Amino acid sequence: MPSNGKAAFVCASAAVISSVLLLLILAPVQQTQGYSNGAPTVSCGDMIPQHGVDAQFGPSPFLIHLMDGEIVLMDNSVHLELRSSDPQIAFEGYFIMAFDKNDHSAHPRPIGRFKQSANDVKVIDCPGGMQNAVTHSTNVKKSSVTLEWFPPENYSGQVVFRTTFVKGKSTFWVKQESKSVSFVMETTSKGSPKAPMTQKGSGSSSSSTVWAGLIAASLLAFLLVR
């Protein structure tokens, strides 16, 4: 092989080796940093971030606050707040879905849908529905995120919200579960004010009975006089 050709071959080989080494170096870094613009749809199944490290198993400093309480009227929305229990601890990312509490299958499907809003919220479609999951749109540190979720039409079961919180890089907690929210049919409260009306009605009935007795006594006295 001519010297020029040999030199070119060596340079090309060195470039290929350098590129491969660069990819090998950068790939773990990308996995460790995670996804700055939100969780990928591949995480819909297990809710595990594709960071290349294991999740935390200790208590999470983050929680899911049910702003509307644990009982909600059928077809009403639920307002949630993802927040830190310590103002000094922030989270960079999150991934949340809603599930029927009684769905104990191996692969429960998320239900309902989330509303798109502007405060670092990105709604995505996981298998089985549309707009049924929410993740972060930036990895800016945050101490609170507010969300709104709508149940399926005429849903009357119990829902739990499961969230993966990402504190940063290799620190995250998977499937942190909220308290359950029960959806109930609207009940009328008009029955309670009827009690005084019932008492008034019974008093009126007693008064009528007294008057009837007086009239009967008067008639009897009139007949006896005759």
Side-chain angles (χ1 to χ4, degrees), residues 6 48 91 94 107 121 124 127 203 212:
K6 185 176 181 180
I48 298 177
F91 57 97
Y94 63 91
H107 303 286
V121 171
I124 62 176

Side-chain angles (χ1 to χ4, degrees), residues 7-214:
F9 175 77
V10 171
C11 290
S13 300
V16 171
I17 293 173
S18 299
S19 299
V20 172
L21 290 174
L22 185 61
L23 288 174
L24 291 175
I25 293 172
L26 292 180
V29 173
Q30 176 63 30
Q31 286 186 326
T32 302
Q33 288 180 346
Y35 295 83
S36 61
N37 62 344
T41 54
V42 70
S43 297
C44 289
D46 53 18
M47 300 188 71
I48 298 177
Q50 307 301 306
H51 291 185
V53 294
D54 293 332
Q56 301 295 309
F57 291 100
S60 168
F62 310 113
L63 54 88
I64 308 160
H65 174 57
L66 304 174
M67 302 174 70
D68 301 309
E70 298 176 38
I71 299 178
V72 178
L73 292 180
M74 181 186 293
D75 295 332
N76 280 15
S77 64
V78 175
H79 295 83
L80 309 164
E81 182 186 14
L82 308 182
R83 69 185 187 190
S84 173
S85 59
D86 184 346
Q88 303 300 319
I89 302 177
F91 57 97
E92 294 183 358
Y94 63 91
F95 185 45
I96 180 171
M97 293 187 287
F99 299 89
D100 187 297
K101 184 179 180 179
N102 295 317
D103 185 354
H104 302 296
S105 61
H107 303 286
R109 289 195 171 189
I111 62 174
R113 63 180 178 85
F114 287 91
K115 179 181 178 180
Q116 180 68 56
S117 59
N119 58 339
D120 192 15
V121 171
K122 184 171 76 171
V123 177
I124 62 176
D125 301 335
C126 281
M130 296 182 64
Q131 300 179 328
N132 54 5
V134 168
T135 186
H136 55 282
S137 58
T138 70
N139 62 351
V140 175
K141 292 184 180 296
K142 41 195 149 278
S143 58
S144 175
V145 173
T146 303
L147 305 170
E148 184 175 8
W149 177 84
F150 295 85
E153 187 175 1
N154 297 327
Y155 179 79
S156 60
Q158 289 183 300
V159 166
V160 291
F161 296 90
R162 295 175 185 143
T163 305
T164 292
F165 288 99
V166 178
K167 183 174 181 290
K169 294 185 178 180
S170 59
T171 307
F172 56 88
W173 290 261
V174 175
K175 293 184 180 179
Q176 302 299 295
E177 189 168 298
S178 71
K179 294 181 179 179
S180 61
V181 179
S182 299
F183 287 87
V184 298
M185 295 183 65
E186 185 174 4
T187 56
T188 178
S189 60
K190 295 180 180 179
S192 53
K194 288 183 179 180
M197 294 179 63
T198 302
Q199 293 177 357
K200 182 177 180 181
S202 61
S204 176
S205 176
S206 299
S207 178
S208 298
T209 303
V210 171
W211 279 107
L214 290 174

